[in-house]
């Protein structure tokens, strides 16, 4: 049998039985009317759940979300641009690294780990000839949620092309693409969509589509013009991760049956509240000043964070999310997305209490 584990990481996360059962089937051939129909349905749901403006389009990329972050920068920016990057952790830094590679001029607005972005801080960058803004709406490494409305207003005022990486915040935190004025939105299959990793999704509002159409990007695999053209008939330029796209279809319909995007956001929020309540008496500090719903960033005050991750994994069959780099020994993260319940939170908290009894915590 497979590993029975209880998975509180931020992706891949626990999938529903229905999604898992599709993963066990033979993968069909995909250049068919049947598969096209499924892909067009996937697009319809994505536009609905992101609250995308009329005329928006979706493409499904076979790569992790970093591939889509790179595709967006390649297709939407050039060395003539100057972008502002909100950098408060690992994934903000990833945007910085991608802009470096593709020679897109940028300024990084650096935030200390766990700090929220205030209006005062943001408006220090007002009126400075920027052409775009890149943000990881939930900086997954620190669980800080940025205010998309505030950022959207700033972009409108400065006429900036606004890119929202919603990889871990889509369907976990409220997001209204039309209302905040985002031109591009990115997410991945292994977060709240609770499917295996391998597909990343880009939603382009009309201004995003215009930008892609007018670009002369030199790439075969990451050419969004080509991807958009194929998606018009429910297809992809190259062989996609067919099985995962079928699982995504099931999951999007599952969300619909359960009341849609807002209901999913509420479920994740309730799961987060329940967990934060249950750990009140443990020797933990919460790291984030403006916590996202999808993940809680925890600083254990009496123990090594990575040690706790290993002990839970090896001795309890429970996976929490370690942090890399300089946060490795001070911060671990607990996810609230995927097929998890309040009872699962209790199981995890009981394991923490047991570690406390054993003198590890």
């Amino acid at each position: 049998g497979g590993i029975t584990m209880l998975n509180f990481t931020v992706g891949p996360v626990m999938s529903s039985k229905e999604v898992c059962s599709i993963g066990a089937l033979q993968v069909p051939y995909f250049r068919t009317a049947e598969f096209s129909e499924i892909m067009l349905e996937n697009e319809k749901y994505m536009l609905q759940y992101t609250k995308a403006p009329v005329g928006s389009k979706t493409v499904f990329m076979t790569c992790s979300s970093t591939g889509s972050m790179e595709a967006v920068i390649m297709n939407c920016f050039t060395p003539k641009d100057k972008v502002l990057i909100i950098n408060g952790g690992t994934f903000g830094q990833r945007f910085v690294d991608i802009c470096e590679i593709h020679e897109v001029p940028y300024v990084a607005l650096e935030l200390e780990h766990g700090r929220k972005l205030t209006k005062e801080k943001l408006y220090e960058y007002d009126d400075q000839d920027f052409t775009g803004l890149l943000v990881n709406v939930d900086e997954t490494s620190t669980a800080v949620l940025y205010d998309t409305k505030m950022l959207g207003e700033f972009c409108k005022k400065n006429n900036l092309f606004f890119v929202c990486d919603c990889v871990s915040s889509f369907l976990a935190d409220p997001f209204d693409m039309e209302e905040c004025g985002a031109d591009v939105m990115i997410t991945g299959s292994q977060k709240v969509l609770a499917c295996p990793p391998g597909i990343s999704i880009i939603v382009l509002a009309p201004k995003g589509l215009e930008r892609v159409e007018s670009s002369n990007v030199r790439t075969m695999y990451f050419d969004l013009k080509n991807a958009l053209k194929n998606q018009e008939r429910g297809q992809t330029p190259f062989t996609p991760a067919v099985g995962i796209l079928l699982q995504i279809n099931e999951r999007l319909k599952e969300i619909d049956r359960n009341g849609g995007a807002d209901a999913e956001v509420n479920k994740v929020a309730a799961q987060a509240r329940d967990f934060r309540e249950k750990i009140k008496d443990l020797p933990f500090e919460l790291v984030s000043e403006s916590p996202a719903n999808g993940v809680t960033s925890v600083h254990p005050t009496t123990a090594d964070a990575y040690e706790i991750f290993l002990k839970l994994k090896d001795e309890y069959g429970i996976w929490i999310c370690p942090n890399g780099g300089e946060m490795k020994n001070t911060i671990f993260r607990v996810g609230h997305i995927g097929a998890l319940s309040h009872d699962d939170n209790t199981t995890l908290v009981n394991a923490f209490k047991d570690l406390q009894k054993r003198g590890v915590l």
Side-chain angles (χ1 to χ4, degrees), residues 9 16 21 80 88 94 106 129 183 205 289 321 323:
T9 67
S16 68
S21 67
K80 291 194 178 81
R94 190 157 300 174
Y106 67 88
D129 304 323
D183 298 304
E289 280 189 335
C321 214
N323 247 356

XYZ file of all heavy atoms in Angstrom, residues 9 16 21 80 88 94 106 129 183 205 289 321 323:
99
model
N 1.220 20.095 4.537
C 2.130 20.988 3.819
C 1.307 21.923 2.931
O 0.079 21.882 2.960
C 3.141 20.199 2.953
O 2.440 19.555 1.895
C 3.914 19.177 3.769
N -9.165 14.756 -2.565
C -10.390 14.009 -2.269
C -10.297 12.611 -2.888
O -9.503 12.380 -3.789
C -11.601 14.743 -2.846
O -11.550 14.711 -4.263
N -9.131 8.820 -7.297
C -9.564 7.675 -8.116
C -9.325 7.945 -9.605
O -9.008 7.033 -10.359
C -11.021 7.317 -7.829
O -11.854 8.359 -8.276
N 12.864 47.028 -21.843
C 12.402 48.428 -21.834
C 11.520 48.734 -20.621
O 11.176 49.887 -20.367
C 11.596 48.717 -23.111
C 12.426 48.728 -24.381
C 11.615 49.372 -25.526
C 12.448 49.454 -26.804
N 12.467 48.160 -27.533
N 9.127 39.794 -0.037
C 9.102 39.563 1.408
C 9.488 38.156 1.780
O 9.217 37.687 2.885
N 12.049 34.917 -5.982
C 12.026 34.162 -7.240
C 11.696 35.083 -8.419
O 12.290 34.970 -9.487
C 11.023 33.013 -7.146
C 11.136 32.066 -8.325
C 10.600 30.707 -8.013
N 11.302 30.081 -6.911
C 10.945 28.915 -6.359
N 9.901 28.265 -6.817
N 11.640 28.408 -5.367
N 14.295 46.082 -12.723
C 13.352 46.000 -11.602
C 13.905 46.741 -10.390
O 15.106 47.005 -10.291
C 13.114 44.527 -11.219
C 14.342 43.879 -10.631
C 14.594 43.944 -9.254
C 15.281 43.242 -11.446
C 15.752 43.392 -8.723
C 16.429 42.686 -10.918
C 16.665 42.764 -9.555
O 17.812 42.234 -9.023
N 8.125 56.080 -12.557
C 8.327 55.532 -13.913
C 8.299 54.012 -13.984
O 8.901 53.433 -14.884
C 9.678 55.998 -14.508
C 9.796 57.509 -14.513
O 8.763 58.157 -14.751
O 10.899 58.023 -14.263
N -3.965 42.184 -14.138
C -3.901 41.872 -15.572
C -3.577 40.401 -15.806
O -3.952 39.830 -16.826
C -2.851 42.755 -16.244
C -3.210 44.226 -16.130
O -4.317 44.592 -16.560
O -2.411 45.008 -15.586
N -6.389 38.831 -18.111
C -7.449 39.809 -18.363
C -7.166 40.463 -19.721
O -6.072 40.281 -20.280
C -7.466 40.843 -17.241
N 2.370 39.120 10.210
C 1.566 40.266 10.666
C 0.208 40.313 9.985
O -0.733 40.851 10.543
C 2.297 41.571 10.321
C 3.382 41.946 11.266
C 3.908 43.360 10.970
O 3.802 43.840 9.827
O 4.420 43.963 11.902
N 5.146 21.574 6.969
C 5.993 22.125 5.912
C 7.226 22.780 6.524
O 7.100 23.743 7.284
C 5.184 23.161 5.133
S 5.597 23.198 3.403
N 10.755 25.036 6.366
C 11.162 26.199 5.583
C 12.601 26.010 5.153
O 13.377 25.343 5.832
C 11.019 27.477 6.401
C 9.927 28.375 5.848
O 9.340 28.074 4.820
N 9.656 29.466 6.512
